[in-house]
Amino acid sequence: MVSSPTRYLVFFQYFGTKYSGVMETSNDQAVAGVQNYLEKAAQKLNPVVPIKFHISSRTDTGVHALCNSAHLDIQRAPGKPAFNEKQLVYGLNYHLKPEPICILNAHRVTSSFHARFSALSRTYVYRLLVGCAHYSEVPVFERDLCWAPAGGCLDVPAMQDAAQFLLGTHDFSTFRSLNSETPFQSPIRTILQADIRPSSGFLSHHYEHRGLEFWELKFRSRSFLYRQVRRMVGALVAVGQGKLTPHHIKELLEIKDSRAFPPNAMAPPSGLFLKSVEY
């Protein structure tokens, strides 16, 4: 008698610099996705049927996750009980060594649960480093984990004023990059949170004499468009640099055209973290 599969929701984190993004890539690509490593580790648990991770939130090349999520079905050989949550976490992490990917926890869920469509919201944070005149001044331990915009200072109060225009429900066409899904996706999104707050750096108390400041931009929504967060961050930084005014953010929203986005203003992936997926 064949046992029915057990569905799990797993939460996992990763340092995204070395991956093509979270989603699976084909074998002929030089750089793999996080999903490739997750599924390779899962196959070593000896399932009857190959295990597929259904990931809740896509992240691009170089983007990190403090906590992403996925669901997966595991069908074990007849007579073998389903893994409990601790066994699954331990087994996956054992086979993920030495990748900078870690399963945080796992939960058994019903067969109707879907990691992507059951999510209520997603929260992203973007880390900015202010006070570096040149990239070489970024502390070694912070490289690939933040963005230090050129020019040093930012007018943070102006950025905070501008961020308020992003709150609520809008057509975010100007704030999305075009991809193959664009024709099938509504550009309407609701931003539930858009905060800019002081933050701390890794070991920053050891170099506070340098006058470096860390800021964290936090955005929460049910879902985001392709590269929407990086475009919103880039536009807000342009406000902080005096290249745009806070009111320009409102005008960009009203234009509803991705081509109207200021050239070269999109923030790089290195400072972006998927913080959490809420259910």
Side-chain angles (χ1 to χ4, degrees):
M1 180 179 173
V2 178
S3 60
S4 58
T6 303
R7 181 163 294 188
Y8 300 87
L9 167 66
V10 296
F11 293 94
F12 59 100
Q13 61 184 195
Y14 47 90
F15 186 88
T17 303
K18 66 173 284 188
Y19 304 112
S20 68
V22 72
M23 303 306 288
E24 182 180 27
T25 57
S26 58
N27 293 331
D28 59 351
Q29 287 189 231
V31 182
V34 174
Q35 184 178 355
N36 295 70
Y37 292 94
L38 291 170
E39 292 179 358
K40 184 178 178 182
Q43 290 315 115
K44 293 179 179 176
L45 301 178
N46 299 317
V48 173
V49 178
I51 293 173
K52 186 82 175 168
F53 277 69
H54 300 268
I55 294 173
S56 73
S57 307
R58 294 189 175 193
T59 58
D60 286 342
T61 303
V63 176
H64 317 289
L66 296 168
C67 186
N68 203 338
S69 60
H71 77 259
L72 59 150
D73 295 327
I74 302 179
Q75 187 167 345
R76 302 198 72 193
K80 291 203 169 187
F83 292 112
N84 66 40
E85 286 93 338
K86 285 186 178 179
Q87 288 172 327
L88 181 59
V89 171
Y90 178 85
L92 288 172
N93 281 335
Y94 180 82
H95 294 297
L96 281 166
K97 294 186 297 187
E99 294 299 320
I101 304 169
C102 180
I103 307 296
L104 301 171
N105 50 55
H107 307 274
R108 287 182 66 159
V109 291
T110 64
S111 59
S112 62
F113 180 90
H114 196 289
R116 181 180 175 190
F117 301 119
S118 299
L120 299 177
S121 64
R122 286 133 174 115
T123 301
Y124 283 87
V125 294
Y126 196 100
R127 300 181 69 240
L128 290 176
L129 173 57
V130 179
C132 293
H134 186 267
Y135 175 78
S136 62
E137 297 179 11
V138 177
V140 169
F141 301 107
E142 289 288 354
R143 291 179 185 175
D144 296 326
L145 293 172
C146 64
W147 175 29
C153 297
L154 292 175
D155 183 346
V156 175
M159 293 168 64
Q160 291 168 327
D161 290 343
Q164 298 309 298
F165 289 113
L166 298 169
L167 283 170
T169 303
H170 306 282
D171 182 323
F172 280 95
S173 292
T174 307
F175 289 90
R176 71 169 167 188
S177 294
L178 304 182
N179 66 0
S180 59
E181 293 184 6
T182 301
F184 310 104
Q185 272 191 333
S186 167
I188 307 298
R189 292 293 186 272
T190 301
I191 301 296
L192 303 168
Q193 183 178 10
D195 293 339
I196 304 174
R197 295 179 182 175
S199 184
S200 59
F202 182 62
L203 300 174
S204 57
H205 57 286
H206 289 290
Y207 49 79
E208 57 191 9
H209 62 280
R210 293 177 55 190
L212 303 182
E213 293 181 4
F214 287 88
W215 293 85
E216 207 169 84
L217 290 75
K218 182 185 287 187
F219 301 95
R220 183 165 62 91
S221 175
R222 173 112 194 234
S223 62
F224 293 89
L225 298 166
Y226 181 50
R227 294 181 174 169
Q228 180 184 347
V229 175
R230 288 171 58 192
R231 282 189 167 220
M232 291 191 298
V233 170
L236 292 175
V237 166
V239 170
Q241 294 171 324
K243 297 175 182 177
L244 299 176
T245 67
H247 202 76
H248 275 130
I249 301 299
K250 183 172 185 289
E251 292 175 358
L252 287 171
L253 282 169
E254 291 169 348
I255 292 171
K256 304 175 186 176
D257 185 347
S258 63
R259 294 168 297 184
F261 189 77
N264 304 315
M266 184 168 67
S270 54
L272 183 58
F273 295 75
L274 173 59
K275 181 180 184 291
S276 57
V277 183
E278 294 84 30
Y279 292 96

